Amino acid sequence: LSQRLNQYAAAINRNFPYQPDMPSLAVIGQGVAEMLANLAGSAVTLPDAELHLSITDPEMYAAFCEARARAAAADAVAAEERQAQEQRDAIAREAALRGTYPGPHVELSTPHLLLKAPAPGGKDVAPITLTNTGTTALTFSWHRAPAAPASLAAQTAAAAAAPPLPCFQLARAEGVLLPGHTHTTDVIFSSAAPGVFSETWELQAHPEVRGADGGPVLLSVRGLGTPEDASGAARAAFADDLAEAEKMRKVRAALARIIADVAPPPEPRTPDVNGDAETAFDAANTGAEPPVYWPGPEGYAALAALYTEARDALIATKAPPVEEDPNKA
């Protein structure tokens, strides 16, 4: 066998070339089993669902495509509307920065007013300002808006009664307003009787202007007529008395706090005769040579008595002699 293997070794090598080292081989890539496992655990996407639906149910897939097309068209329309609104908002912001708007536009300082005055005879005044925020000159005038229709009974009662006098007046109810200019007028309220009164005034202009809500520019005014107070003087006097009593109460409280914060004076100090004498003695003999020390209360008393005796003797020696009168018997 060895002889035959050696004899046909060349032919064997040609028919069975190099045999690889199987334990050292490595598989590059992904096996079929692993690939199937990954596909089974992966998320299902919309294209995968569409593909599956197109294969399993073509009619439903066609309805789905039609609904998607309608939704895309609606989204496109909404996007165009948003873009147009953004453009309008940009134009409005730019106009607001300039303070003007193209065409006739006005701005009222306030659409509501509340006034109060004693009745009868009282008067209350409040200003309103109209601003031309557009680019067109305006002629305008204020007019009372017609009242809301009342019931038949109310109309009958109103017809039988005397016509009410107007409670509200505008000092300057008309004028011309140039672009960027303002017009200020006073609303005057006065009532002949106590009560609550209201009116609505409408702005009429040429060219026509509209409010922010698309309707006419309106001014709503409301007035309160208060009855005369017969006890006003007595109540005012009582209020003054209360104020005076409160002021005195505060003054008394402030004085009590001040007195409570004042500290009592210290008690008078009993003079220390010995201590004062010692202090005066030390001050008088400071720097004496030889040094002189405080002799104590008894020694100081003896020295004081000796000093007094010596001073009296010195005074006696220096006193002039007394001459006797020879005529004196």
Side-chain angles (χ1 to χ4, degrees):
L1 180 58
S2 298
Q3 182 181 358
R4 293 296 183 186
L5 289 174
N6 292 332
Q7 181 181 355
Y8 299 108
I12 292 172
N13 291 334
R14 286 195 302 273
N15 292 329
F16 299 97
Y18 172 74
Q19 297 294 326
D21 185 7
M22 298 302 294
S24 301
L25 291 179
V27 178
I28 299 176
Q30 191 176 27
V32 176
E34 185 178 357
M35 184 183 299
L36 293 176
N38 292 336
L39 290 175
S42 62
V44 179
T45 61
L46 182 59
D48 296 337
E50 293 179 4
L51 178 60
H52 178 73
L53 185 61
S54 64
I55 296 173
T56 57
D57 195 342
E59 294 181 1
M60 184 175 291
Y61 178 70
F64 168 75
C65 292
E66 183 179 356
R68 181 171 58 184
R70 289 196 301 270
D75 292 340
V77 172
E80 293 178 358
E81 291 180 355
R82 285 196 300 271
Q83 185 177 2
Q85 183 63 37
E86 290 175 357
Q87 293 177 355
R88 290 193 294 269
D89 293 342
I91 294 173
R93 286 194 297 270
E94 184 178 357
L97 291 177
R98 294 197 307 266
T100 59
Y101 298 88
H105 293 278
V106 295
E107 181 178 342
L108 190 60
S109 58
T110 176
H112 303 282
L113 280 180
L114 177 62
L115 299 98
K116 178 182 178 181
K123 183 173 67 173
D124 191 11
V125 180
I128 60 168
T129 301
L130 187 67
T131 305
N132 187 345
T133 57
T135 57
T136 306
L138 300 171
T139 59
F140 70 92
S141 59
W142 288 98
H143 300 273
R144 287 185 178 87
S151 62
L152 181 59
Q155 293 179 5
T156 303
L165 297 176
C167 297
F168 301 93
Q169 299 291 337
L170 267 67
R172 298 166 57 197
E174 58 185 20
V176 177
L177 200 56
L178 299 178
H181 288 207
T182 60
H183 178 274
T184 301
T185 185
D186 290 334
V187 179
I188 306 170
F189 167 70
S190 180
S191 63
V196 178
F197 307 89
S198 62
E199 285 183 1
T200 301
W201 290 69
E202 180 180 350
L203 179 68
Q204 297 180 1
H206 180 78
E208 184 182 6
V209 293
R210 311 299 291 179
D213 57 353
V217 179
L218 300 177
L219 172 64
S220 176
V221 290
R222 183 179 292 264
L224 175 61
T226 58
E228 183 180 358
D229 189 2
S231 60
R235 187 169 59 253
F238 181 68
D240 294 340
D241 293 341
L242 288 179
E244 184 66 21
E246 178 66 14
K247 182 176 68 174
M248 295 305 299
R249 186 190 66 81
K250 292 181 179 180
V251 170
R252 287 193 294 270
L255 289 176
R257 288 194 300 270
I258 294 174
I259 294 174
D261 293 338
V262 174
E267 296 181 359
R269 184 175 62 89
T270 303
D272 186 358
V273 177
N274 295 330
D276 293 343
E278 180 180 359
T279 302
F281 184 87
D282 291 340
N285 294 279
T286 301
E289 292 295 338
V292 178
Y293 300 101
W294 170 250
E298 293 80 2
Y300 181 78
L303 288 175
L306 181 61
Y307 172 78
T308 302
E309 182 180 355
R311 184 191 61 186
D312 294 342
L314 180 61
I315 293 174
T317 59
K318 291 183 178 182
V322 180
E323 295 181 359
E324 297 182 357
D325 188 0
N327 295 324
K328 184 177 181 181

